[in-house]
Amino acid sequence: MKKTLILQAPAKINVGLWVKSKRPDGYHDLASIMQTISLADIITINESTEHGIRITCDHPLVPTDSTNLVHRAATLFLDQMSIVPALTIHIEKKIPVAAGLAGGSTDAAAVLTGLARLYDKSLSPADLMKMGSLIGSDVPFVIHGGLAVAEGRGEKLSFHEPPRPPLVVVIAIPSGVGVSTKWAYENYHPGNNEAKERTFNMLLDAYRARNLDVLRKLVFNDLESVTLHRYPEVLRIKERLAATEEGVVLMSGSGPSVFGLFADKRSAMKAVRTLDGLPVDVFIEHTAKKHF
Ligand code: C5P
């Protein structure tokens, strides 16, 4: 019998992103607090009678050819395990595309995890994360999920317990805007790392303690200077969401998504109402735990 697997592929936010320096390999050394959230794509993997890997997706802007990270992940896995490809994979997109929420990376991560189960391969999370790092910088984190400080290119991870109880996360994205991560990094010029190191070291404690008043004063994302300059609508969303002064508001990754962290649903909804009249897509989610 041909097997089917249905998997959740959750998004992440960066509760702080410090871009330290450009590396000789073209990537940047960074430090970031990565947090899984409840917003998730749904990935369905079917064993097929036909040779090859066929991808389908309900979102018109997502390529379904070999450039799709899901295709790359499946090809890599089957290659390394010496399995002849015969799969169809459907991606049901709930996470906005090119939004700074690791949507493509998390789909690829779900496929690596799913194929290990489908073919009964006893790979550890560390094995899968190593494979994932060949697909993209965010993939190792989204394979594991939860809360982590990411360093290096994003693959050096130290995991922590996420805040308890979970925080409410409002995601707000200007309609029709997508940002290339590569473009954002290329246009960022690192500098002044001394002050940032001190601030970054205090971020994790404030976040885990759910101390939103302290976190609001400390939190920063270096790529905001690039994306907010090019897309002033992202700045407008940030200003509105922050107006109630009850949440912690920041751009995620290279944007354009902006998130707000709130202690409860009431203060989250109060902030959401400030977005009335703006061309914006809004999701009300919460911080989530690790997968393993
Ligand atoms: O690793 P990934 O393919 O997701 O990264 C997309 C782009 O983002 C890279 O091509 C690179 O330009 C930039 N990037 C970077 N430093 C990182 C992660 C990503 O410069 N640590």
Side-chain angles (χ1 to χ4, degrees), residues 180-244:
S180 147
T181 306
K182 192 169 185 313
W183 167 84
Y185 274 102
E186 274 171 4
N187 285 283
Y188 181 71
H189 307 291
N192 183 23
N193 276 333
E194 224 167 274
K196 282 181 185 160
E197 177 151 27
R198 248 175 292 131
T199 309
F200 189 85
N201 288 340
M202 291 187 279
L203 270 181
L204 185 67
D205 288 343
Y207 178 65
R208 291 193 61 206
R210 292 173 109 260
N211 193 335
L212 298 186
D213 291 330
V214 171
L215 192 63
R216 191 180 304 119
K217 293 192 183 91
L218 297 176
V219 83
F220 66 95
N221 175 347
D222 280 336
L223 297 179
E224 277 189 344
S225 58
V226 179
T227 305
L228 266 52
H229 182 72
R230 169 73 179 77
Y231 301 100
E233 55 269 55
V234 182
L235 177 61
R236 212 148 39 232
I237 292 171
K238 260 198 85 177
E239 286 169 350
R240 292 266 193 109
L241 259 191
T244 62

Side-chain angles (χ1 to χ4, degrees), residues 104-216:
S105 301
T106 194
D107 297 345
V111 164
L112 291 180
T113 312
L115 291 181
R117 264 169 57 194
L118 194 79
Y119 294 111
D120 218 8
K121 299 287 178 195
S122 55
L123 294 167
S124 67
D127 293 335
L128 288 169
M129 286 156 74
K130 206 163 161 200
M131 217 186 270
S133 70
L134 303 173
I135 305 291
S137 307
D138 285 341
V139 180
F141 170 73
V142 286
I143 283 177
H144 187 287
L147 169 64
V149 175
E151 288 178 280
R153 216 185 95 197
E155 83 290 5
K156 288 184 196 152
L157 297 164
S158 52
F159 291 96
H160 302 268
E161 277 302 309
R164 292 252 174 96
L167 290 158
V168 180
V169 184
V170 173
I171 304 281
I173 307 170
S175 308
V177 179
V179 171
S180 147
T181 306
K182 192 169 185 313
W183 167 84
Y185 274 102
E186 274 171 4
N187 285 283
Y188 181 71
H189 307 291
N192 183 23
N193 276 333
E194 224 167 274
K196 282 181 185 160
E197 177 151 27
R198 248 175 292 131
T199 309
F200 189 85
N201 288 340
M202 291 187 279
L203 270 181
L204 185 67
D205 288 343
Y207 178 65
R208 291 193 61 206
R210 292 173 109 260
N211 193 335
L212 298 186
D213 291 330
V214 171
L215 192 63
R216 191 180 304 119

